[in-house]
Amino acid sequence: MPACPSPLDHKQVDQLAALRATLAHARAARGPALPFELPELDERLADHGLDGAGLHEIAAASASFTDDACATLFAAGIAARFCAQPGFTILWAVTRFDLYAPGLEQIGLGPDKILYAQGRKDAEVLALAEDGLRDGSLACVVAEVKAANQTATRRLQLAASDGKTPMLLFRRHRSRERCPLSGLSSAMTRWRIGAAPSSPLPHVGLGRSRWSVELVRQRNGNPFSIELEACDDTGRLALPAAAPDRAIAEGRAARQAA
């Protein structure tokens, strides 16, 4: 005969059920996709945002530490927005723990928002991610791997759909010559992120970081690339302020030439 659950077990079950109900309500209020709240991005995405029950892949534009950091923060900013409400948490699974916690906190992903998991190899990390997705009590799952074939990504996509939980798969570089996104995948979107020159300042110093954001592939939509300012303390991206100024200046110059 199975043992009767203790009062603590009942309490944990009730808390988990309440969390799942809160998550379901938040997802219903948000809609099927999480928008970037940038028309320049959302209007070019087939779902007008990131599918909240789908797999999304992210890779650095190169194997450099700079691009790798940009891609990490891009993923972290999205995860921070998925778990923006109080009490929501994400799972971040890795094979090697090299995340810089203060950097994550600066974009809205504090220590109270993250559950870390570590596997010895990519297969274990993928299994951890799949379990987290199917549980349904997480706001988002992030996993870092160097190898994931189409079967593995198909399993993650199905688990994300079943658990109504977004999956961010960070594809790390295996070699400097080959892009991690070159293989087949079942992902809804595939992003390549790199560093770009920072925002100019009227004085000596560095302005807000900028990223080269390239959507390599999306279901039912076209690829595109755009330069954006890095995440703020809520995980939100921004259109570089210099872009409209440049357009105005170019228009003024054209009128003067005429």
Side-chain angles (χ1 to χ4, degrees):
M1 179 182 293
C4 295
S6 67
L8 179 61
D9 293 329
H10 284 300
K11 182 178 180 181
Q12 290 174 334
V13 168
D14 291 342
Q15 289 175 338
L16 189 58
L19 178 58
R20 285 173 173 156
T22 304
L23 275 167
H25 177 74
R27 289 164 181 158
R30 184 192 68 221
L34 176 74
F36 283 94
E37 299 179 1
L38 279 177
E40 294 78 10
L41 270 180
D42 293 333
E43 292 175 0
R44 301 167 78 173
L45 291 170
D47 295 317
H48 301 289
L50 293 180
D51 189 332
L55 167 64
H56 308 280
E57 290 186 344
I58 298 164
S62 73
S64 70
F65 289 120
T66 302
D67 286 348
D68 188 81
C70 293
T72 301
L73 291 175
F74 179 79
I78 294 172
R81 297 185 58 231
F82 272 119
C83 70
Q85 294 196 30
F88 286 13
T89 56
I90 72 161
L91 173 68
W92 198 307
V94 297
T95 55
R96 183 166 62 93
F97 191 84
D98 58 357
L99 292 166
Y100 183 60
L104 299 182
E105 190 166 9
Q106 287 180 354
I107 60 171
L109 202 56
D112 59 321
K113 294 284 188 179
I114 311 178
L115 299 173
Y116 294 108
Q118 187 170 6
R120 292 171 298 178
K121 53 187 178 180
D122 286 344
E124 292 183 359
V125 170
L126 293 170
L128 289 167
E130 187 175 340
D131 287 344
L133 291 169
R134 295 193 184 279
D135 181 75
S137 63
L138 296 164
C140 179
V141 174
V142 185
E144 300 183 21
V145 297
K146 288 187 176 180
N149 59 25
Q150 191 170 22
T151 299
T153 59
R154 178 61 176 165
R155 289 181 63 91
L156 290 177
Q157 173 57 42
L158 290 173
S161 179
D162 291 344
K164 300 294 186 291
T165 303
M167 174 72 212
L168 306 179
L169 185 62
F170 186 11
R171 306 288 295 261
R172 307 298 292 264
H173 278 258
R174 301 177 69 181
S175 67
R176 293 184 177 274
E177 293 76 22
R178 184 176 182 183
C179 174
L181 303 180
S182 59
L184 298 176
S185 172
S186 297
M188 303 290 289
T189 62
R190 309 185 82 184
W191 302 83
R192 187 158 49 218
I193 313 299
S198 65
S199 303
L201 294 175
H203 50 78
V204 177
L206 297 176
R208 182 172 172 179
S209 299
R210 289 185 182 179
W211 298 337
S212 169
V213 177
E214 182 182 1
L215 181 61
V216 178
R217 175 185 173 274
Q218 64 170 322
R219 288 190 188 180
N220 305 316
N222 297 319
F224 63 85
S225 60
I226 187 172
E227 186 174 298
L228 297 172
E229 291 187 342
C231 297
D232 62 12
D233 57 359
T234 64
R236 285 171 169 76
L237 301 166
L239 191 69
D245 296 340
R246 190 183 305 116
I248 293 172
E250 290 174 352
R252 184 183 299 114
R255 289 194 298 271
Q256 291 175 349

